[in-house]
Coordinates of all heavy atoms in Angstrom, one line a residue:
M1 N 106.1 103.9 104.4 CA 106.7 103.8 103.1 C 105.7 104.2 102.0 O 104.5 103.8 102.1 CB 107.1 102.4 102.8 CG 108.3 101.9 103.6 SD 108.7 100.2 103.1 CE 109.4 100.4 101.5
L2 N 106.2 104.8 101.0 CA 105.3 105.2 99.9 C 105.5 104.2 98.8 O 106.7 103.8 98.4 CB 105.4 106.6 99.4 CG 105.1 107.7 100.4 CD1 105.5 109.1 99.7 CD2 103.7 107.6 100.9
F3 N 104.4 103.8 98.1 CA 104.5 102.9 96.9 C 103.6 103.5 95.8 O 102.5 104.0 96.0 CB 103.9 101.5 97.3 CG 104.7 100.7 98.2 CD1 104.6 100.9 99.6 CD2 105.7 99.9 97.8 CE1 105.4 100.2 100.5 CE2 106.5 99.1 98.6 CZ 106.4 99.2 100.0
H4 N 104.2 103.4 94.7 CA 103.6 103.7 93.4 C 102.9 102.5 92.8 O 103.7 101.5 92.7 CB 104.5 104.4 92.4 CG 104.1 104.7 91.1 ND1 103.8 103.7 90.1 CD2 103.7 105.9 90.4 CE1 103.4 104.2 89.1 NE2 103.3 105.6 89.2
V5 N 101.6 102.5 92.7 CA 101.0 101.2 92.2 C 100.2 101.5 90.9 O 99.4 102.5 91.0 CB 100.0 100.7 93.3 CG1 99.4 99.4 92.9 CG2 100.8 100.4 94.6
E6 N 100.4 100.7 90.0 CA 99.6 100.9 88.7 C 98.7 99.6 88.6 O 99.2 98.5 88.7 CB 100.4 101.0 87.5 CG 99.6 101.3 86.2 CD 100.3 102.1 85.2 OE1 101.6 102.3 85.3 OE2 99.7 102.4 84.2
M7 N 97.4 99.8 88.5 CA 96.4 98.7 88.4 C 95.7 98.8 87.1 O 95.0 99.7 86.8 CB 95.4 98.7 89.5 CG 95.9 98.9 90.9 SD 94.6 99.0 92.2 CE 95.5 99.9 93.4
Q8 N 95.9 97.7 86.3 CA 95.1 97.6 85.0 C 94.0 96.5 85.3 O 94.2 95.4 85.7 CB 96.0 97.1 84.0 CG 95.4 96.6 82.7 CD 95.3 97.7 81.7 OE1 96.1 98.6 81.6 NE2 94.1 97.7 81.1
V9 N 92.8 97.0 85.0 CA 91.7 96.1 85.3 C 91.2 95.4 84.0 O 91.1 96.1 83.0 CB 90.4 96.9 85.8 CG1 89.3 96.0 86.2 CG2 90.8 97.8 87.0
N10 N 91.1 94.1 84.1 CA 90.8 93.3 82.9 C 89.6 92.3 83.2 O 89.7 91.2 83.4 CB 92.0 92.4 82.6 CG 93.3 93.1 82.5 OD1 93.4 94.0 81.6 ND2 94.2 92.7 83.3
L11 N 88.4 93.0 83.3 CA 87.2 92.2 83.6 C 87.0 91.4 82.3 O 87.1 91.9 81.2 CB 86.0 93.0 83.9 CG 86.1 93.8 85.3 CD1 84.9 94.6 85.5 CD2 86.2 92.7 86.4
P12 N 86.5 90.1 82.4 CA 86.2 89.3 81.3 C 85.1 89.9 80.6 O 84.0 90.4 81.2 CB 85.8 87.9 81.9 CG 86.4 87.9 83.3 CD 86.4 89.3 83.7
P13 N 85.1 90.0 79.2 CA 84.0 90.6 78.5 C 82.6 90.0 78.7 O 81.6 90.6 78.6 CB 84.5 90.5 77.1 CG 85.8 90.2 77.0 CD 86.3 89.7 78.3
D14 N 82.7 88.6 79.0 CA 81.4 87.9 79.2 C 81.1 87.8 80.7 O 80.1 87.0 81.0 CB 81.6 86.5 78.7 CG 82.7 85.6 79.4 OD1 83.4 86.3 80.1 OD2 82.7 84.5 79.1
M15 N 81.7 88.5 81.6 CA 81.2 88.6 82.9 C 79.8 89.2 83.1 O 79.5 90.2 82.4 CB 82.2 89.5 83.9 CG 81.7 89.5 85.3 SD 82.9 90.5 86.3 CE 84.1 89.2 86.8
D16 N 79.0 88.5 84.0 CA 77.7 89.0 84.2 C 77.7 90.4 84.7 O 78.5 90.8 85.6 CB 77.1 88.1 85.3 CG 75.7 88.7 85.8 OD1 74.9 88.9 84.9 OD2 75.6 88.7 87.1
P17 N 77.0 91.3 84.0 CA 77.0 92.7 84.3 C 76.7 93.0 85.8 O 77.3 94.0 86.4 CB 75.9 93.3 83.4 CG 75.8 92.4 82.3 CD 76.1 91.0 82.9
E18 N 75.8 92.2 86.4 CA 75.4 92.5 87.8 C 76.6 92.2 88.7 O 76.9 92.8 89.7 CB 74.2 91.7 88.2 CG 73.0 92.3 87.7 CD 71.7 91.6 88.2 OE1 71.8 90.8 89.1 OE2 70.6 91.9 87.7
R19 N 77.4 91.0 88.4 CA 78.5 90.6 89.2 C 79.6 91.8 89.0 O 80.3 92.1 90.0 CB 79.0 89.3 88.6 CG 80.4 88.9 89.1 CD 80.4 88.1 90.4 NE 81.7 87.7 90.8 CZ 82.2 88.1 91.9 NH1 81.5 88.7 92.9 NH2 83.4 87.6 92.3
A20 N 79.8 92.2 87.8 CA 80.8 93.3 87.5 C 80.4 94.5 88.3 O 81.3 95.2 89.0 CB 80.9 93.7 86.1
A21 N 79.2 94.9 88.3 CA 78.7 96.1 89.1 C 79.0 95.9 90.6 O 79.4 96.9 91.3 CB 77.3 96.4 88.8
A22 N 78.7 94.8 91.1 CA 78.9 94.5 92.5 C 80.3 94.6 92.9 O 80.7 95.1 93.9 CB 78.3 93.2 92.9
L23 N 81.2 94.0 92.0 CA 82.7 94.0 92.3 C 83.1 95.5 92.3 O 84.0 95.8 93.2 CB 83.4 93.2 91.3 CG 83.4 91.7 91.4 CD1 84.0 91.1 90.1 CD2 84.3 91.3 92.6
K24 N 82.7 96.2 91.4 CA 83.1 97.7 91.3 C 82.6 98.5 92.4 O 83.3 99.4 93.0 CB 82.6 98.4 90.0 CG 83.3 97.8 88.7 CD 82.7 98.4 87.5 CE 83.1 97.7 86.2 NZ 82.5 98.3 85.1
A25 N 81.4 98.2 92.9 CA 80.8 99.0 94.1 C 81.7 98.5 95.4 O 81.9 99.4 96.1 CB 79.4 98.6 94.3
D26 N 82.0 97.2 95.4 CA 82.8 96.8 96.6 C 84.1 97.4 96.7 O 84.7 97.8 97.7 CB 82.8 95.3 96.7 CG 81.5 94.6 97.0 OD1 80.6 95.3 97.4 OD2 81.4 93.4 96.8
E27 N 84.7 97.5 95.4 CA 86.1 98.0 95.2 C 86.0 99.5 95.7 O 86.9 100.0 96.4 CB 86.5 97.9 93.8 CG 87.9 98.5 93.5 CD 89.0 97.4 93.7 OE1 88.7 96.2 93.9 OE2 90.2 97.9 93.6
K28 N 85.0 100.2 95.1 CA 84.9 101.6 95.5 C 84.8 101.9 97.0 O 85.5 102.8 97.5 CB 83.7 102.3 94.8 CG 83.5 103.7 95.0 CD 82.3 104.3 94.2 CE 82.2 105.7 94.4 NZ 81.1 106.3 93.5
A29 N 83.9 101.0 97.7 CA 83.8 101.3 99.1 C 85.0 101.0 99.9 O 85.4 101.8 100.8 CB 82.7 100.3 99.7
L30 N 85.8 100.0 99.5 CA 87.0 99.8 100.2 C 88.1 100.8 99.8 O 88.8 101.3 100.8 CB 87.5 98.3 99.8 CG 88.8 97.9 100.5 CD1 88.7 98.0 102.1 CD2 89.1 96.3 100.1
A31 N 88.1 101.1 98.6 CA 89.1 102.2 98.2 C 88.8 103.5 99.0 O 89.8 104.2 99.4 CB 89.0 102.5 96.7
Q32 N 87.6 103.8 99.2 CA 87.2 105.1 99.8 C 87.6 105.0 101.3 O 88.0 106.0 102.0 CB 85.8 105.5 99.5 CG 85.6 105.9 98.1 CD 84.3 106.5 97.7 OE1 83.3 106.3 98.4 NE2 84.4 107.3 96.7
E33 N 87.3 103.8 101.8 CA 87.7 103.6 103.3 C 89.2 103.8 103.5 O 89.6 104.4 104.4 CB 87.2 102.2 103.7 CG 87.4 101.8 105.2 CD 87.0 100.4 105.3 OE1 86.0 99.9 104.8 OE2 87.7 99.7 106.2
L34 N 90.0 103.1 102.6 CA 91.4 103.3 102.7 C 91.9 104.7 102.5 O 92.9 105.2 103.0 CB 92.1 102.2 101.7 CG 92.0 100.8 102.1 CD1 92.3 99.9 101.0 CD2 92.8 100.4 103.3
Q35 N 91.2 105.5 101.6 CA 91.6 106.8 101.4 C 91.3 107.7 102.6 O 92.1 108.6 103.1 CB 90.8 107.4 100.2 CG 91.3 107.0 98.8 CD 90.5 107.4 97.7 OE1 90.5 108.5 97.2 NE2 89.5 106.4 97.3
R36 N 90.2 107.4 103.3 CA 89.8 108.2 104.5 C 90.8 107.9 105.6 O 91.1 108.7 106.4 CB 88.3 107.8 104.9 CG 87.3 108.5 104.2 CD 86.0 108.2 104.7 NE 85.0 108.3 103.7 CZ 84.4 107.3 103.1 NH1 84.6 106.0 103.4 NH2 83.5 107.4 102.0
A37 N 91.4 106.6 105.6 CA 92.3 106.3 106.6 C 93.7 106.8 106.3 O 94.6 106.6 107.1 CB 92.4 104.7 106.7
G38 N 93.9 107.4 105.0 CA 95.2 107.9 104.7 C 96.2 106.9 104.2 O 97.3 107.2 103.8
T39 N 95.7 105.7 104.0 CA 96.5 104.5 103.4 C 96.6 104.7 101.9 O 97.8 104.5 101.3 CB 95.9 103.2 103.8 OG1 95.8 103.2 105.2 CG2 96.8 102.1 103.3
W40 N 95.5 105.0 101.2 CA 95.5 105.2 99.7 C 95.5 106.6 99.5 O 94.5 107.3 99.5 CB 94.2 104.4 99.2 CG 94.2 104.2 97.8 CD1 94.8 104.9 96.8 CD2 93.5 103.0 97.2 NE1 94.5 104.3 95.6 CE2 93.7 103.1 95.8 CE3 92.8 102.0 97.6 CZ2 93.3 102.2 94.9 CZ3 92.3 101.0 96.7 CH2 92.5 101.1 95.4
R41 N 96.7 107.2 99.3 CA 96.9 108.6 99.3 C 96.4 109.3 98.1 O 96.0 110.4 98.1 CB 98.3 108.9 99.5 CG 99.0 108.7 100.9 CD 99.1 110.1 101.6 NE 100.1 109.8 102.6 CZ 101.3 110.5 102.4 NH1 101.6 111.3 101.4 NH2 102.2 110.3 103.4
H42 N 96.6 108.6 97.0 CA 96.2 109.2 95.7 C 95.5 108.1 94.8 O 96.1 106.9 94.9 CB 97.4 109.7 94.8 CG 98.0 111.0 95.4 ND1 97.6 112.2 95.0 CD2 98.9 111.2 96.4 CE1 98.3 113.2 95.7 NE2 99.1 112.5 96.5
L43 N 94.6 108.5 94.1 CA 94.0 107.5 93.1 C 93.6 108.3 91.9 O 92.8 109.1 91.9 CB 92.7 106.9 93.8 CG 91.7 106.0 92.9 CD1 92.5 104.9 92.3 CD2 90.6 105.6 93.7
W44 N 94.3 108.0 90.8 CA 94.2 108.7 89.5 C 93.8 107.8 88.4 O 94.4 106.6 88.3 CB 95.5 109.4 89.2 CG 95.9 110.6 90.1 CD1 96.8 110.3 91.1 CD2 95.4 111.8 90.1 NE1 96.9 111.6 91.8 CE2 96.0 112.5 91.2 CE3 94.5 112.6 89.4 CZ2 95.8 113.8 91.5 CZ3 94.2 113.8 89.8 CH2 94.9 114.5 90.8
R45 N 92.9 108.2 87.6 CA 92.5 107.4 86.4 C 93.6 107.7 85.3 O 94.0 108.9 85.2 CB 91.1 107.8 85.9 CG 90.7 107.2 84.5 CD 90.6 105.6 84.6 NE 89.4 105.2 85.3 CZ 89.4 104.2 86.2 NH1 90.4 103.5 86.4 NH2 88.2 103.8 86.8
V46 N 94.0 106.7 84.6 CA 94.9 106.9 83.5 C 94.0 107.1 82.3 O 93.1 106.3 81.9 CB 95.8 105.6 83.2 CG1 96.7 105.8 82.0 CG2 96.7 105.3 84.5
V47 N 94.3 108.3 81.6 CA 93.4 108.7 80.6 C 93.3 107.7 79.4 O 94.4 107.2 79.0 CB 93.8 110.0 80.0 CG1 92.9 110.4 78.8 CG2 93.6 111.1 81.1
G48 N 92.1 107.2 79.1 CA 92.0 106.3 78.0 C 92.1 104.9 78.3 O 92.1 104.0 77.4
Q49 N 92.4 104.5 79.5 CA 92.6 103.1 80.0 C 91.7 102.8 81.1 O 91.4 103.7 82.0 CB 94.1 102.9 80.3 CG 95.1 103.1 79.2 CD 96.4 102.8 79.7 OE1 96.7 102.0 80.5 NE2 97.4 103.6 79.1
Y50 N 91.4 101.5 81.3 CA 90.6 101.0 82.5 C 91.8 100.7 83.4 O 92.1 99.4 83.8 CB 89.8 99.9 82.2 CG 88.9 99.5 83.4 CD1 88.8 100.3 84.5 CD2 88.0 98.4 83.3 CE1 88.0 99.9 85.6 CE2 87.2 98.1 84.3 CZ 87.2 98.9 85.5 OH 86.3 98.5 86.5
S51 N 92.5 101.7 83.9 CA 93.6 101.5 84.8 C 93.8 102.7 85.8 O 93.2 103.8 85.4 CB 94.9 101.2 84.1 OG 95.4 102.3 83.5
N52 N 94.4 102.5 86.8 CA 94.7 103.7 87.7 C 96.2 103.7 88.1 O 96.8 102.7 88.1 CB 93.7 103.6 88.9 CG 94.1 102.6 89.9 OD1 95.1 102.7 90.6 ND2 93.3 101.5 89.9
V53 N 96.6 104.9 88.6 CA 97.8 105.1 89.2 C 97.5 105.5 90.6 O 96.8 106.5 90.8 CB 98.8 106.1 88.4 CG1 100.0 106.5 89.3 CG2 99.3 105.5 87.1
S54 N 98.1 104.9 91.6 CA 97.8 105.2 93.0 C 99.1 105.3 93.8 O 100.1 104.7 93.4 CB 97.0 104.0 93.6 OG 95.6 104.0 93.0
I55 N 99.0 106.0 94.9 CA 100.1 106.1 95.9 C 99.5 105.6 97.1 O 98.4 106.1 97.7 CB 100.6 107.5 96.0 CG1 101.1 108.2 94.7 CG2 101.7 107.6 97.1 CD1 102.4 107.5 94.2
F56 N 100.2 104.6 97.8 CA 99.9 104.0 99.0 C 100.9 104.4 100.1 O 102.1 104.5 99.7 CB 99.7 102.5 98.9 CG 98.6 102.0 98.2 CD1 98.4 101.9 96.9 CD2 97.5 101.5 99.0 CE1 97.2 101.5 96.3 CE2 96.3 101.1 98.5 CZ 96.2 101.0 97.0
D57 N 100.4 104.6 101.3 CA 101.3 104.9 102.4 C 101.1 103.8 103.4 O 100.1 103.8 104.1 CB 101.0 106.2 103.0 CG 102.0 106.7 104.0 OD1 102.9 105.9 104.3 OD2 101.9 107.8 104.5
V58 N 102.1 102.8 103.4 CA 101.9 101.7 104.3 C 103.2 101.4 104.9 O 104.3 101.8 104.4 CB 101.4 100.4 103.5 CG1 99.9 100.6 103.1 CG2 102.3 100.2 102.3
P59 N 103.2 100.7 106.1 CA 104.5 100.3 106.8 C 105.5 99.4 106.1 O 106.7 99.6 106.2 CB 104.1 99.8 108.1 CG 102.7 100.1 108.3 CD 102.1 100.3 106.9
S60 N 105.0 98.6 105.1 CA 105.8 97.6 104.5 C 105.3 97.1 103.3 O 104.0 97.2 103.0 CB 106.0 96.4 105.5 OG 104.9 95.7 105.6
G61 N 106.1 96.4 102.5 CA 105.6 95.7 101.3 C 104.6 94.7 101.6 O 103.7 94.4 100.9
D62 N 104.9 94.0 102.8 CA 103.9 92.9 103.2 C 102.6 93.4 103.4 O 101.6 92.9 103.0 CB 104.4 92.3 104.5 CG 105.6 91.3 104.3 OD1 105.9 90.9 103.1 OD2 106.3 90.9 105.3
E63 N 102.5 94.6 104.1 CA 101.2 95.2 104.3 C 100.5 95.6 103.0 O 99.3 95.4 102.7 CB 101.3 96.4 105.3 CG 99.9 96.8 105.8 CD 100.1 97.4 107.2 OE1 100.9 97.0 108.0 OE2 99.3 98.4 107.4
L64 N 101.3 96.2 102.1 CA 100.7 96.6 100.8 C 100.2 95.3 100.1 O 99.1 95.4 99.5 CB 101.8 97.3 99.9 CG 101.3 97.7 98.5 CD1 100.1 98.7 98.7 CD2 102.4 98.2 97.7
H65 N 101.0 94.2 100.1 CA 100.5 93.0 99.4 C 99.2 92.5 100.1 O 98.3 92.1 99.2 CB 101.6 91.9 99.5 CG 101.2 90.7 98.9 ND1 101.4 90.5 97.5 CD2 100.6 89.5 99.3 CE1 100.9 89.4 97.1 NE2 100.4 88.7 98.2
D66 N 99.1 92.6 101.3 CA 97.8 92.2 101.9 C 96.6 93.1 101.4 O 95.6 92.5 101.2 CB 97.9 92.3 103.5 CG 98.6 91.2 104.1 OD1 99.0 90.2 103.4 OD2 99.1 91.3 105.3
I67 N 96.9 94.4 101.4 CA 95.8 95.2 100.9 C 95.4 95.0 99.5 O 94.2 94.8 99.2 CB 96.2 96.7 101.1 CG1 96.3 97.1 102.6 CG2 95.3 97.6 100.3 CD1 97.0 98.5 102.8
L68 N 96.4 94.9 98.6 CA 96.1 94.7 97.2 C 95.5 93.3 96.9 O 94.5 93.3 96.2 CB 97.4 94.8 96.4 CG 98.1 96.2 96.4 CD1 99.4 96.1 95.6 CD2 97.2 97.2 95.9
S69 N 95.9 92.3 97.7 CA 95.4 91.0 97.3 C 94.0 90.9 97.9 O 93.3 89.8 97.6 CB 96.3 89.9 97.8 OG 96.6 90.1 99.2
N70 N 93.6 91.7 98.8 CA 92.2 91.7 99.3 C 91.2 92.6 98.6 O 90.0 92.7 98.9 CB 92.2 92.0 100.8 CG 92.7 90.7 101.6 OD1 92.0 89.7 101.6 ND2 93.8 90.9 102.3
L71 N 91.7 93.3 97.6 CA 90.9 94.1 96.8 C 89.9 93.3 96.0 O 90.3 92.3 95.5 CB 91.6 95.0 95.8 CG 92.5 96.2 96.5 CD1 93.3 96.9 95.4 CD2 91.6 97.1 97.3
P72 N 88.5 93.6 96.0 CA 87.6 92.8 95.2 C 88.0 92.6 93.7 O 87.7 91.5 93.2 CB 86.3 93.6 95.4 CG 86.5 94.4 96.6 CD 87.9 94.8 96.7
L73 N 88.7 93.5 93.1 CA 89.0 93.3 91.7 C 90.3 92.7 91.6 O 90.8 92.5 90.4 CB 88.9 94.7 91.0 CG 87.6 95.4 90.7 CD1 87.7 96.8 90.2 CD2 86.8 94.5 89.8
F74 N 91.0 92.3 92.7 CA 92.4 91.8 92.5 C 92.5 90.6 91.6 O 93.4 90.6 90.8 CB 92.9 91.3 94.0 CG 94.2 90.7 94.0 CD1 95.4 91.6 93.8 CD2 94.4 89.4 94.0 CE1 96.6 91.1 93.8 CE2 95.7 88.8 93.9 CZ 96.8 89.6 93.8
P75 N 91.5 89.7 91.5 CA 91.6 88.6 90.6 C 91.6 89.1 89.1 O 92.0 88.2 88.3 CB 90.4 87.7 90.8 CG 89.9 88.1 92.2 CD 90.3 89.6 92.3
Y76 N 91.2 90.3 88.9 CA 91.0 90.8 87.5 C 92.0 91.8 87.2 O 91.7 92.6 86.2 CB 89.6 91.2 87.3 CG 88.6 90.1 87.6 CD1 87.9 90.2 88.9 CD2 88.4 89.0 86.8 CE1 87.0 89.1 89.2 CE2 87.5 88.0 87.1 CZ 86.8 88.1 88.3 OH 86.0 87.1 88.7
M77 N 93.0 92.0 88.0 CA 93.9 93.1 87.8 C 95.3 92.7 87.5 O 95.8 91.7 88.2 CB 93.9 94.1 89.0 CG 92.6 94.8 89.2 SD 92.7 96.3 90.2 CE 92.9 95.6 91.7
D78 N 96.1 93.3 86.6 CA 97.5 93.3 86.6 C 98.0 94.5 87.4 O 97.6 95.6 87.1 CB 98.0 93.4 85.1 CG 97.6 92.1 84.3 OD1 97.6 91.0 84.9 OD2 97.2 92.2 83.1
I79 N 98.9 94.2 88.3 CA 99.4 95.3 89.2 C 100.9 95.4 89.1 O 101.6 94.3 89.2 CB 99.0 94.9 90.7 CG1 97.4 94.9 90.8 CG2 99.5 96.0 91.6 CD1 96.9 94.5 92.1
Q80 N 101.3 96.6 89.1 CA 102.8 96.9 89.1 C 103.1 97.8 90.3 O 102.4 98.8 90.4 CB 103.3 97.5 87.8 CG 103.1 96.5 86.6 CD 103.9 96.9 85.4 OE1 103.9 98.1 85.1 NE2 104.4 96.0 84.6
V81 N 104.1 97.4 91.0 CA 104.4 98.2 92.2 C 105.9 98.7 92.2 O 106.8 98.0 91.8 CB 104.2 97.3 93.5 CG1 104.7 98.1 94.8 CG2 102.8 96.8 93.7
K82 N 106.0 100.0 92.5 CA 107.3 100.6 92.7 C 107.4 101.3 94.1 O 106.6 102.1 94.4 CB 107.6 101.6 91.6 CG 107.7 101.2 90.2 CD 107.7 102.3 89.2 CE 107.7 101.7 87.8 NZ 107.2 102.8 86.9
A83 N 108.5 100.7 94.8 CA 108.7 101.4 96.2 C 109.4 102.8 95.9 O 110.3 103.0 95.0 CB 109.6 100.5 97.0
L84 N 108.9 103.8 96.7 CA 109.4 105.2 96.5 C 110.3 105.6 97.7 O 109.9 105.1 98.9 CB 108.3 106.1 96.3 CG 107.3 105.8 95.1 CD1 106.2 106.8 95.2 CD2 108.0 105.8 93.8
T85 N 111.3 106.3 97.4 CA 112.0 107.0 98.6 C 112.2 108.5 98.2 O 112.1 108.8 97.0 CB 113.3 106.2 98.9 OG1 113.8 106.7 100.1 CG2 114.4 106.4 97.8
R86 N 112.6 109.2 99.2 CA 112.7 110.6 99.0 C 113.8 111.0 98.0 O 114.9 110.5 98.2 CB 112.9 111.3 100.3 CG 112.8 112.9 100.3 CD 112.7 113.5 101.6 NE 112.7 114.9 101.5 CZ 111.7 115.7 101.1 NH1 110.5 115.0 100.9 NH2 111.8 117.0 101.1
H87 N 113.6 111.9 97.1 CA 114.6 112.3 96.2 C 115.4 113.4 96.9 O 114.8 114.3 97.6 CB 113.9 112.9 94.9 CG 114.8 113.2 93.8 ND1 115.8 114.2 93.8 CD2 115.0 112.4 92.6 CE1 116.5 114.1 92.7 NE2 116.1 113.0 92.0
P88 N 116.7 113.3 96.7 CA 117.5 114.3 97.5 C 117.3 115.8 97.1 O 117.7 116.7 97.9 CB 119.0 113.8 97.1 CG 118.9 113.0 96.0 CD 117.5 112.4 95.9
S89 N 116.8 115.9 95.9 CA 116.5 117.4 95.4 C 115.1 117.8 95.8 O 114.7 118.9 95.5 CB 116.7 117.5 93.9 OG 118.0 117.0 93.6
A90 N 114.3 116.9 96.3 CA 112.9 117.3 96.6 C 112.9 118.4 97.8 O 113.6 118.3 98.7 CB 112.1 116.1 97.1
I91 N 111.9 119.3 97.6 CA 111.8 120.4 98.7 C 110.4 120.3 99.2 O 109.5 119.7 98.6 CB 112.1 121.8 98.1 CG1 111.2 122.1 96.9 CG2 113.6 121.9 97.7 CD1 111.4 123.6 96.5
Ligands
LIG1 O1 88.7 101.5 88.3 C1 89.8 101.1 88.8 O2 90.9 101.7 88.4 C2 89.9 100.1 89.8 C3 89.6 100.7 91.1 C4 90.4 100.9 92.1 C5 89.7 101.7 93.2 C6 88.4 101.8 92.6 O3 87.4 102.1 93.2 O4 88.3 101.1 91.4

């Protein structure tokens, strides 16, 4: 199943910069592992925002929830998910 996921990152302005850098590095490592595995199909920056639009390919919403809730930045993100299905006019 494909899912469209929008993640808005809201790090507290007073977060220790080293803690923020470590979270971002951990997030990057996991995101790249999931991209290599074909699970995180697309990862796009939204211009002008600390947010991304992503496409995930996972067997179920439960599995997507597990992935998203284990992201290092999860406690600091607002996440919106849309399940996708094939458009009948798609070629
Ligand atoms: O910067 C972001 O949009 C949050 C994020 C997702 C994967 C990653 O490496 O950073």
Side-chain angles (χ1 to χ4, degrees):
M1 286 181 74
L2 295 178
F3 291 89
H4 174 286
V5 180
E6 186 156 4
M7 305 178 207
Q8 168 85 43
V9 185
N10 307 301
L11 290 179
D14 60 349
M15 177 180 271
D16 172 46
E18 286 185 11
R19 169 87 179 124
L23 281 171
K24 290 177 193 177
D26 291 348
E27 180 88 10
K28 181 175 182 174
L30 183 52
Q32 293 189 335
E33 187 183 318
L34 290 165
Q35 286 172 81
R36 283 187 207 101
T39 301
W40 197 324
R41 286 257 209 110
H42 290 267
L43 171 56
W44 296 97
R45 175 64 75 219
V46 179
V47 175
Q49 296 181 33
Y50 191 4
S51 69
N52 72 73
V53 167
S54 294
I55 301 292
F56 284 80
D57 188 355
V58 290
S60 67
D62 284 345
E63 194 151 324
L64 180 64
H65 184 80
D66 283 346
I67 290 170
L68 296 177
S69 58
N70 283 300
L71 292 175
L73 288 173
F74 179 77
Y76 305 102
M77 293 198 289
D78 290 324
I79 300 178
Q80 296 194 327
V81 176
K82 293 174 187 159
L84 302 177
T85 193
R86 188 166 178 78
H87 193 288
S89 305
I91 56 173

